[in-house]
Amino acid sequence: MATYTIRYAERARAAKDCLSPRQKSSLEVLEKRLAGNPYGFGAQSNRDSSWSAFFTGGVITYVVSNRYLIINVIDVTAV
Protein backbone atom coordinates (compact mmCIF):
# COMPACT_ATOMS: atom_id res chain seq x y z
CA MET A 1 0.00 0.00 0.00
CA ALA A 2 1.19 3.50 -0.80
CA THR A 3 2.32 5.88 1.91
CA TYR A 4 0.82 9.36 2.00
CA THR A 5 2.87 12.50 2.64
CA ILE A 6 1.56 14.75 5.39
CA ARG A 7 1.73 18.53 4.94
CA TYR A 8 0.61 21.21 7.38
CA ALA A 9 -0.99 24.55 6.56
CA GLU A 10 0.72 27.51 8.28
CA ARG A 11 -1.96 27.84 10.95
CA ALA A 12 -1.93 24.11 11.65
CA ARG A 13 1.90 24.08 11.83
CA ALA A 14 1.84 26.95 14.33
CA ALA A 15 -0.72 25.10 16.47
CA LYS A 16 1.33 21.89 16.27
CA ASP A 17 4.43 23.75 17.46
CA CYS A 18 2.52 24.88 20.58
CA LEU A 19 1.52 21.36 21.67
CA SER A 20 2.97 19.82 24.80
CA PRO A 21 5.59 17.07 24.41
CA ARG A 22 2.98 14.43 25.33
CA GLN A 23 0.57 15.74 22.71
CA LYS A 24 3.31 15.91 20.05
CA SER A 25 4.28 12.32 20.74
CA SER A 26 0.68 11.18 20.41
CA LEU A 27 0.27 13.19 17.20
CA GLU A 28 3.37 11.53 15.72
CA VAL A 29 1.82 8.11 16.34
CA LEU A 30 -1.38 9.25 14.63
CA GLU A 31 0.60 10.68 11.68
CA LYS A 32 2.25 7.28 11.11
CA ARG A 33 -1.14 5.57 11.10
CA LEU A 34 -2.69 8.14 8.77
CA ALA A 35 0.23 7.96 6.34
CA GLY A 36 -0.63 4.32 5.74
CA ASN A 37 -4.41 4.71 5.69
CA PRO A 38 -5.87 8.24 5.93
CA TYR A 39 -9.42 6.91 6.12
CA GLY A 40 -9.01 4.25 8.78
CA PHE A 41 -8.53 6.43 11.84
CA GLY A 42 -10.71 9.47 11.19
CA ALA A 43 -14.28 10.55 10.72
CA GLN A 44 -15.52 12.35 7.61
CA SER A 45 -17.35 15.64 7.95
CA ASN A 46 -20.98 15.75 6.89
CA ARG A 47 -20.52 19.27 5.47
CA ASP A 48 -17.44 18.92 3.27
CA SER A 49 -14.71 16.50 2.28
CA SER A 50 -12.58 17.06 5.38
CA TRP A 51 -11.70 14.42 7.93
CA SER A 52 -11.00 14.64 11.67
CA ALA A 53 -8.87 12.34 13.79
CA PHE A 54 -8.18 12.44 17.50
CA PHE A 55 -4.89 12.05 19.33
CA THR A 56 -4.23 12.26 23.07
CA GLY A 57 -5.00 15.87 23.94
CA GLY A 58 -6.25 17.09 20.60
CA VAL A 59 -7.77 16.69 17.17
CA ILE A 60 -6.59 17.35 13.63
CA THR A 61 -8.69 18.28 10.62
CA TYR A 62 -7.38 17.25 7.23
CA VAL A 63 -8.21 16.69 3.58
CA VAL A 64 -6.85 13.88 1.44
CA SER A 65 -5.56 14.02 -2.13
CA ASN A 66 -5.56 10.48 -3.48
CA ARG A 67 -4.18 11.62 -6.80
CA TYR A 68 -0.95 12.92 -5.24
CA LEU A 69 -0.98 10.80 -2.05
CA ILE A 70 -0.98 13.87 0.19
CA ILE A 71 -2.74 14.56 3.47
CA ASN A 72 -3.15 18.30 4.02
CA VAL A 73 -3.65 19.11 7.69
CA ILE A 74 -5.69 22.30 7.86
CA ASP A 75 -6.18 22.58 11.62
CA VAL A 76 -4.75 21.26 14.88
CA THR A 77 -6.78 21.84 18.04
CA ALA A 78 -5.57 21.05 21.54
CA VAL A 79 -8.28 19.98 23.99
Side-chain angles (χ1 to χ4, degrees):
M1 181 174 213
T3 301
Y4 285 72
T5 300
I6 299 175
R7 295 191 308 194
Y8 282 80
E10 285 183 37
R11 183 175 106 177
R13 172 70 60 195
K16 180 182 177 183
D17 292 343
C18 293
L19 294 174
S20 71
R22 184 173 141 260
Q23 290 169 315
K24 285 181 183 177
S25 176
S26 178
L27 179 55
E28 287 176 12
V29 171
L30 176 61
E31 288 173 344
K32 289 176 186 174
R33 290 180 182 162
L34 290 176
N37 180 4
Y39 304 108
F41 301 95
Q44 188 173 23
S45 171
N46 290 328
R47 295 184 316 230
D48 54 28
S49 61
S50 68
W51 289 74
S52 296
F54 290 89
F55 59 95
T56 302
V59 62
I60 64 169
T61 304
Y62 61 96
V63 293
V64 180
S65 170
N66 289 312
R67 183 174 186 177
Y68 298 105
L69 299 177
I70 295 175
I71 298 170
N72 292 297
V73 178
I74 55 177
D75 197 16
V76 176
T77 306
V79 292

